[in-house]
Amino acid sequence: MSQTPVLDALTRAGTGVPEPEPERVRHRFLFSPWHLVLIPVAVTMILPLVWMVVTSLQTLDETRHYPPTFWPSSLEFGNYSEVLTQAPFGRWFVNSLIVTVLVVLGNLLFCSLAGYAFARIRFFGREVVFVLLLITLMVPFQVIIIPEFLIVRSLGLIDSLGALILPNLAGAFGVFMLRQFFRTLPIELEEAARIDGCTRLGVLFKIVLPLSGPALATLAVITFLWTWNDFLWPLITIYSPEHMTLQLGLATFQGAHQTNTNLLMAANVMTVLPVLLLFLFAQRYFVRGIATSGLKG
Amino acid sequence: MADVELTRVTKRFPNGHVALDDLSLEVEDGEFLILVGPSGCGKTTALRLIAGLERCTTGSIRIGDRIVDDVSPRDRDIAMVFQNYALYPHMTVRRNLAFGLKQRHTPKPEIERRVREVSAILGLDELLTRRPAQLSGGQRQRVAMGRSLVREPAVFLLDEPLSNLDAKLRVQMRAELKRIHQRLGITTIYVTHDQVEAMTLGDRIVVMSAGCVQQIGRPQDVYRRPANLFVAGFIGSPAMNLLRGTASDGRITAGELVLDLAVGDREVAIGIRPESVVRDPAEGPAFDLDVEVVEPLGEQIVVHGTVAGTPVESGAEEETEIPLALEDRRAPVTAVLGPAAEPVPGDRVRLGIAPEKVHVFDLASGEAIG
Amino acid sequence: MAIGVRRALRSDHVAGWAFAFPAVALIVVFGLVPIVWSAVLSFQKSNLLAPPEWVGLANYRAFTKDPFFKESMIHAAIYTALFVPLSVTLGLLVAVALNRRIRGIRWYRTAVFVPVVVSTIATAIVFLWVFDPHFGLANWLLGKVGLGPFGFFESPDGALYSVVAMTVWGWIGFDVIIFLAALQGIPPELVEAAEIDGARTWGIFRNVTLPLLGPVTLFLVVWSSINALHLFDEVFLATNGGPGTSTLVPVLYLYKLAFLQGIAGYAAAIAYVLFAAILVLTVVQLLIGKRMVHYAS
């Protein structure tokens, strides 16, 4: 019996591994009427993105064309290099990458430690502190942004990547999620390890974490997605172009190039592409992560 | 009420596994038929094919006077009790019972009447307003049966309905089931892996293995005259003892045992049921049993030990059996004795067997001889 | 012996705190402290630069007379009332369609999930282009069926609805993922039993599938509502509250007040009022939901 039936179901949902169905249906395998429903849905989802790519390869005049042209007469890949000269996209990409990777690693480490403590170690004040953490989960972001800004400013971190990294190195969500997961593991394994001479830290790193692959991957993905796409917090704390994240930079680019639609679309494609590729490559973890972030409620 | 016939049914799954191989079976109208066998033998598949939840790869199924190969489950006039009961968790017991009738637009007074009747038969009256989550295992099982009975189906299908109950409840429910069948007389097809259930419940039992029928017959017939080694080893608890023997010159020699039976010259397996041996016989074929383990059970004592001879496997052994480390040329044997003079491990007991109670099987084919 | 036990217990306390400390410290500093500070701020007048002064309940009295605040709350209400039913219902329908075992189902599922991964900023930029009144894809397609042309983001009456359309596109995949997992979690025996009992496809859906989806649906309604009331990124980029103030939403208003106009105390008060509104709505939804939803054991 799986330890994580819900996570497994979500994984199946994400990877498209089909569930068993009554065999009668298989006779319509070659042409199922469901295709007639699914094709328009898929098209609606994908069409805006496809058109974004098409536009990114057009000349400025072509974008001004109405009715819109779908096939550009020439593939203006130059738009992309133009964008890179107009704005430090490379720099923004690197900034986002640094911030995201550090935040993900920080969460994995600190939330594992704390999650394990809350799950398995009886310590003074554990229940009270845990409730306090849950409270922070319930209070929405807009309530805390102003004071958080003031705190970060008093630490001298405004307009630096530190402002984006430090406050997010550990989140209550990660602690909560890993605590719940650790509790589903059979405690006998850890007890056997301790009898065999392992320290608490050793148990965590040698026994528990190796068994927590799916949960850690899920947390990594959620954190990655949330951090990479974050906009409001960088908007408040960063103002010099060389420290901007990709989303913030893209927004300023949009402000400056509102009428250069082809360049704007090229910039957009470049922003979307990395996450899209990562998603296609690791779809099952993304799906699990997205859904788990919801199931905590 | 209807009879059911499977004609040369084969079921092959997409992964290549053949669950049923050219199975033909007739179920008489009103009969309580049991499909019994180890897991993987195809009995549940056969049941699901009759229900219409799967389609035959080849072959045909008839219920009553209709060929139902292309008929969906809801139109086959069958009802099924699942191993996990499959009660609708969000509906009360009453709604669970009434659901099928509602779906068929049965008039309300008729629904009321049937629900009341079935509830009375199964003792569900106080549970009607509860939800499945609030019921015990035995209660849920009765609701599952009630849901099927309320539909007054032509055929009643049950898939290991008692396997999730504890031992005592199982015995109780077995009697219930028999009582209900006697009262209502619906054609019933029942799947189980427990041969005790099969023997006590069925009018006829079908012993299956690896997708094929091994033997069909009344429980007592199957017990007394198993058709092959598999059935011999499967039916009967404790299992039949099987020893290798050589038949020549009108005589069979198996270890110490010598039997005057003429079956031609060949290698055979002889089978002796633990309960058919007698202690310290005055005459007739006999052998010595070196006692290893004694299990006193009140009026009976089960004795495990070894005899001279070579054991034979029936194919019905549980995989979990630990192979005994035996000395060469000794075979494990189980005997069921009366309570007097309880033997002790290390004793040597003299046992005899009446020749007509010995089962003989051809060793090569496994088929029973004579 | 007793001393040894006490020592062991003490080390548990130490270990527990040692493990939990990094995460707890970060969450307290950047999560709990701001919650309290924000409450304090709401009773003050602050421009984020000079020291704040106490004004008691003035901020809370002010919002009853603030037309912008009222407008933003009305917009939030309209937006939520449209976004939640649309995304949850369509999400369910699409999930049902995707719960098939037909050829290519993996591609359909991927197509539906992709918009969730695209960032809010990139989504807004794409839709600014798709909804462009002069050269956009939307008007061209609608024209083909005899509708439009529409002003979308540039029309005071239509801007909010355009935001609804854009965000439903962006977030429906989330609902689909969760519904799909729930659908695949329904035990097949229940469906088989219903089939044998005589139910047809619609009967099975209405009497077995839908009730079992109750808890998940409730969760998605609550979750979507909370997120809807937090709307910021897409509106910031696509309309910045305009045209005029037709798409002004609470978090955007709050951001402008605190970080553009330096009226931080009042902004903090608004943040808490919004929080209270969300809390009330959530409680109401949960109460109604508890009555209507039967949790399977």
Side-chain angles (χ1 to χ4, degrees):
Chain A
M1 246 287 91
S2 164
Q3 292 281 354
T4 52
V6 175
L7 279 186
D8 293 343
L10 294 172
T11 309
R12 284 200 299 271
T15 54
V17 170
E19 291 300 308
E21 270 216 348
E23 298 217 354
R24 275 168 272 110
V25 183
R26 300 192 77 228
H27 292 273
R28 300 201 299 261
F29 194 75
L30 280 177
F31 176 59
S32 166
W34 282 104
H35 285 286
L36 293 177
V37 171
L38 288 172
I39 291 180
V41 169
V43 164
T44 314
M45 291 287 126
I46 294 295
L47 192 57
L49 299 172
V50 167
W51 202 46
M52 166 182 75
V53 174
V54 166
T55 309
S56 74
L57 295 172
Q58 292 177 336
T59 63
L60 195 54
D61 291 325
E62 273 180 312
T63 66
R64 298 261 166 277
H65 203 268
Y66 193 78
T69 46
F70 272 96
W71 198 250
S73 51
S74 56
L75 295 173
E76 298 288 328
F77 286 105
N79 288 338
Y80 286 84
S81 39
E82 176 75 20
V83 167
L84 289 172
T85 57
Q86 297 261 6
F89 265 88
R91 178 90 216 193
W92 292 339
F93 181 82
V94 168
N95 287 341
S96 278
L97 199 60
I98 294 175
V99 170
T100 305
V101 167
L102 287 177
V103 167
V104 168
L105 290 177
N107 265 277
L108 287 179
L109 179 63
F110 297 134
C111 294
S112 292
L113 286 167
Y116 185 69
F118 284 112
R120 296 293 197 219
I121 308 179
R122 284 212 170 78
F123 58 95
F124 177 72
R126 180 178 77 164
E127 317 300 326
V128 172
V129 174
F130 192 65
V131 169
L132 287 178
L133 290 192
L134 284 185
I135 290 180
T136 65
L137 272 181
M138 294 193 300
V139 176
F141 189 54
Q142 84 268 4
V143 170
I144 59 179
I145 45 171
I146 302 170
E148 204 174 329
F149 171 80
L150 294 172
I151 294 175
V152 164
R153 187 174 68 181
S154 66
L155 290 172
L157 291 174
I158 292 292
D159 202 30
S160 77
L161 293 186
L164 304 176
I165 298 174
L166 187 61
N168 298 316
L169 272 180
F173 175 73
V175 174
F176 180 71
M177 189 193 131
L178 287 182
R179 171 194 184 255
Q180 298 303 97
F181 180 79
F182 290 153
R183 290 177 78 182
T184 67
L185 297 175
I187 195 171
E188 293 83 12
L189 291 177
E190 301 163 48
E191 289 171 340
R194 293 192 73 200
I195 291 176
D196 275 344
C198 235
T199 60
R200 282 241 186 234
L201 201 63
V203 170
L204 175 61
F205 280 97
K206 291 189 203 148
I207 310 284
V208 175
L209 287 185
L211 291 176
S212 308
L216 291 174
T218 304
L219 179 62
V221 162
I222 305 175
T223 312
F224 178 90
L225 207 53
W226 186 86
T227 311
W228 186 271
N229 288 346
D230 191 18
F231 177 69
L232 178 53
W233 182 243
L235 178 67
I236 295 173
T237 52
I238 309 284
Y239 44 82
S240 18
E242 60 265 21
H243 294 133
M244 287 183 179
T245 60
L246 201 49
Q247 306 300 333
L248 185 57
L250 182 61
T252 60
F253 187 82
Q254 191 267 348
H257 295 265
Q258 279 175 21
T259 51
N260 291 359
T261 317
N262 54 344
L263 293 185
L264 188 54
M265 290 304 127
N268 220 23
V269 169
M270 287 197 292
T271 313
V272 166
L273 207 53
V275 178
L276 206 57
L277 288 176
L278 189 61
F279 172 73
L280 291 175
F281 181 68
Q283 184 173 335
R284 78 168 69 187
Y285 291 110
F286 270 84
V287 170
R288 256 191 189 180
I290 291 169
T292 315
S293 75
L295 284 183
K296 72 166 172 89
Chain B
M1 216 105 79
D3 62 330
V4 178
E5 185 176 359
L6 282 77
T7 313
R8 308 206 59 183
V9 168
T10 304
K11 176 65 185 173
R12 188 181 310 117
F13 283 105
N15 63 1
H17 174 60
V18 178
L20 291 175
D21 194 3
D22 202 20
L23 179 86
S24 293
L25 185 59
E26 268 184 59
V27 186
E28 284 165 29
D29 191 0
E31 175 175 32
F32 197 124
L33 183 85
I34 307 226
L35 304 179
V36 64
S39 43
C41 69
K43 55 195 191 295
T44 301
T45 308
L47 199 75
R48 288 172 65 88
L49 283 172
I50 298 172
L53 296 171
E54 314 263 6
R55 292 197 66 149
C56 313
T57 312
T58 61
S60 163
I61 300 181
R62 176 178 62 81
I63 299 180
D65 49 14
R66 280 199 305 172
I67 305 277
V68 294
D69 296 334
D70 291 314
V71 178
S72 69
R74 74 174 77 89
D75 298 320
R76 290 194 187 196
D77 201 12
I78 51 115
M80 183 155 163
V81 176
F82 291 81
Q83 189 173 0
N84 295 317
Y85 317 136
L87 299 179
Y88 306 118
H90 54 290
M91 298 187 195
T92 59
V93 167
R94 180 187 287 275
R95 276 194 66 198
N96 260 280
L97 295 175
F99 182 70
L101 296 176
K102 269 197 82 180
Q103 290 300 306
R104 286 158 205 275
H105 311 293
T106 314
K108 238 177 147 197
E110 177 68 11
I111 299 183
E112 296 284 319
R113 181 186 71 80
R114 292 205 201 175
V115 169
R116 227 181 309 129
E117 231 178 77
V118 167
S119 173
I121 295 179
L122 291 171
L124 297 172
D125 289 328
E126 290 106 41
L127 306 176
L128 286 175
T129 53
R130 300 216 203 142
R131 291 231 160 75
Q134 300 164 294
L135 303 176
S136 71
Q139 290 168 333
R140 287 185 207 173
Q141 210 262 6
R142 277 184 281 148
V143 175
M145 284 186 22
R147 188 174 62 181
S148 300
L149 290 177
V150 113
R151 296 240 331 275
E152 292 175 7
V155 183
F156 194 17
L157 304 171
L158 299 111
D159 186 4
E160 305 211 42
L162 304 183
S163 58
N164 287 343
L165 303 176
D166 65 66
K168 240 179 152 196
L169 205 46
R170 219 179 294 164
V171 173
Q172 242 177 298
M173 289 307 304
R174 250 174 25 211
E176 261 316 301
L177 276 170
K178 212 156 181 181
R179 210 175 301 137
I180 292 174
H181 178 253
Q182 277 164 7
R183 178 165 167 178
L184 297 176
I186 304 180
T187 311
T188 305
I189 305 177
Y190 184 105
V191 160
T192 179
H193 64 273
D194 182 338
Q195 49 108 16
V196 174
E197 253 174 52
M199 297 285 286
T200 55
L201 277 176
D203 292 332
R204 280 194 302 157
I205 66 177
V206 179
V207 181
M208 292 179 65
S209 167
C212 301
V213 173
Q214 301 296 318
Q215 187 170 358
I216 307 180
R218 286 173 36 237
Q220 285 295 53
D221 294 336
V222 175
Y223 177 82
R224 288 207 202 99
R225 272 179 288 276
N228 59 35
L229 275 175
F230 179 85
V231 179
F234 187 80
I235 298 288
S237 182
M240 185 189 286
N241 298 300
L242 294 168
L243 293 174
R244 194 173 169 140
T246 311
S248 67
D249 297 328
R251 216 170 252 200
I252 300 179
T253 320
E256 242 189 288
L257 263 180
V258 177
L259 302 158
D260 284 318
L261 289 170
V263 292
D265 290 351
R266 50 178 144 183
E267 293 295 301
V268 295
I270 65 161
I272 300 176
R273 288 217 182 268
E275 48 273 18
S276 34
V277 297
V278 284
R279 196 134 172 217
D280 293 321
E283 49 171 17
F287 57 96
D288 284 328
L289 174 72
D290 289 343
V291 177
E292 287 183 352
V293 176
V294 175
E295 293 174 332
L297 290 176
E299 274 304 301
Q300 290 178 332
I301 302 181
V302 177
V303 177
H304 302 277
T306 60
V307 302
T310 316
V312 172
E313 286 190 359
S314 67
E317 285 82 6
E318 296 289 327
E319 275 171 31
T320 53
E321 278 176 24
I322 306 167
L324 302 171
L326 292 170
E327 294 167 37
D328 236 3
R329 320 292 301 310
R330 293 202 71 81
V333 161
T334 305
V336 176
L337 306 174
E342 182 174 326
V344 163
D347 281 355
R348 175 165 286 195
V349 180
R350 189 100 185 132
L351 298 171
I353 179 78
E356 58 271 17
K357 289 204 176 166
V358 174
H359 298 87
V360 186
F361 304 90
D362 179 273
L363 191 63
S365 68
E367 297 289 315
I369 307 173
Chain C
M1 186 98 87
I3 302 176
V5 168
R6 239 179 284 142
R7 203 169 291 156
L9 286 177
R10 229 190 306 141
S11 84
D12 252 11
H13 292 300
V14 169
W17 272 107
F19 277 44
F21 183 72
V24 171
L26 281 167
I27 295 171
V28 165
V29 170
F30 293 105
L32 275 178
V33 167
I35 293 177
V36 175
W37 192 342
S38 202
V40 168
L41 251 185
S42 69
F43 298 112
Q44 296 176 327
K45 182 171 156 182
S46 162
N47 61 3
L48 295 178
L49 295 167
E53 33 174 294
W54 287 93
V55 292
L57 289 172
N59 287 330
Y60 286 98
R61 279 196 287 265
F63 79 76
T64 54
K65 301 196 209 84
D66 181 358
F68 290 124
F69 175 74
K70 284 207 192 88
E71 231 191 304
S72 74
M73 290 301 268
I74 292 176
H75 293 154
I78 298 176
Y79 173 77
T80 307
L82 287 172
F83 176 78
V84 172
L86 270 177
S87 61
V88 172
T89 317
L90 290 177
L92 175 60
L93 294 176
V94 172
V96 167
L98 284 178
N99 192 24
R100 313 274 127 216
R101 194 186 181 187
I102 60 179
R103 199 188 300 171
I105 196 68
R106 301 191 57 165
W107 300 109
Y108 291 126
R109 288 180 184 177
T110 306
V112 171
F113 299 162
V114 158
V116 179
V117 175
V118 174
S119 74
T120 48
I121 298 301
T123 303
I125 292 179
V126 168
F127 272 84
L128 269 176
W129 181 225
V130 169
F131 283 165
D132 187 301
H134 308 289
F135 306 111
L137 195 57
N139 269 337
W140 180 70
L141 285 173
L142 289 169
K144 292 248 159 193
V145 291
L147 294 170
F150 295 102
F152 294 111
F153 293 130
E154 294 179 17
S155 135
D157 298 317
L160 193 59
Y161 303 107
S162 309
V163 173
V164 171
M166 166 173 67
T167 50
V168 167
W169 180 90
W171 290 108
I172 197 175
F174 180 80
D175 298 54
V176 170
I177 290 173
I178 297 195
F179 272 129
L180 198 54
L183 282 170
Q184 293 177 344
I186 296 180
E189 293 105 51
L190 282 184
V191 176
E192 287 173 349
E195 259 191 81
I196 290 178
D197 269 344
R200 304 189 168 274
T201 324
W202 173 246
I204 296 179
F205 188 73
R206 221 195 83 190
N207 291 295
V208 180
T209 314
L210 271 189
L212 288 178
L213 289 180
V216 150
T217 308
L218 177 62
F219 161 73
L220 280 175
V221 167
V222 170
W223 178 258
S224 308
S225 305
I226 295 177
N227 279 335
L229 291 166
H230 286 154
L231 184 63
F232 177 81
D233 293 5
E234 292 95 329
V235 175
F236 177 84
L237 195 101
T239 64
N240 199 20
T245 56
S246 59
T247 57
L248 187 67
V249 288
V251 179
L252 181 61
Y253 183 46
L254 186 152
Y255 162 76
K256 291 187 183 212
L257 279 177
F259 295 101
L260 299 181
Q261 297 175 33
I263 310 179
Y266 181 47
I270 288 186
Y272 261 102
V273 170
L274 181 62
F275 176 39
I278 294 176
L279 214 55
V280 166
L281 181 63
T282 303
V283 166
V284 167
Q285 284 173 336
L286 286 177
L287 284 178
I288 298 180
K290 285 260 151 71
R291 285 255 198 95
M292 288 172 42
V293 168
H294 299 293
Y295 287 81
S297 61

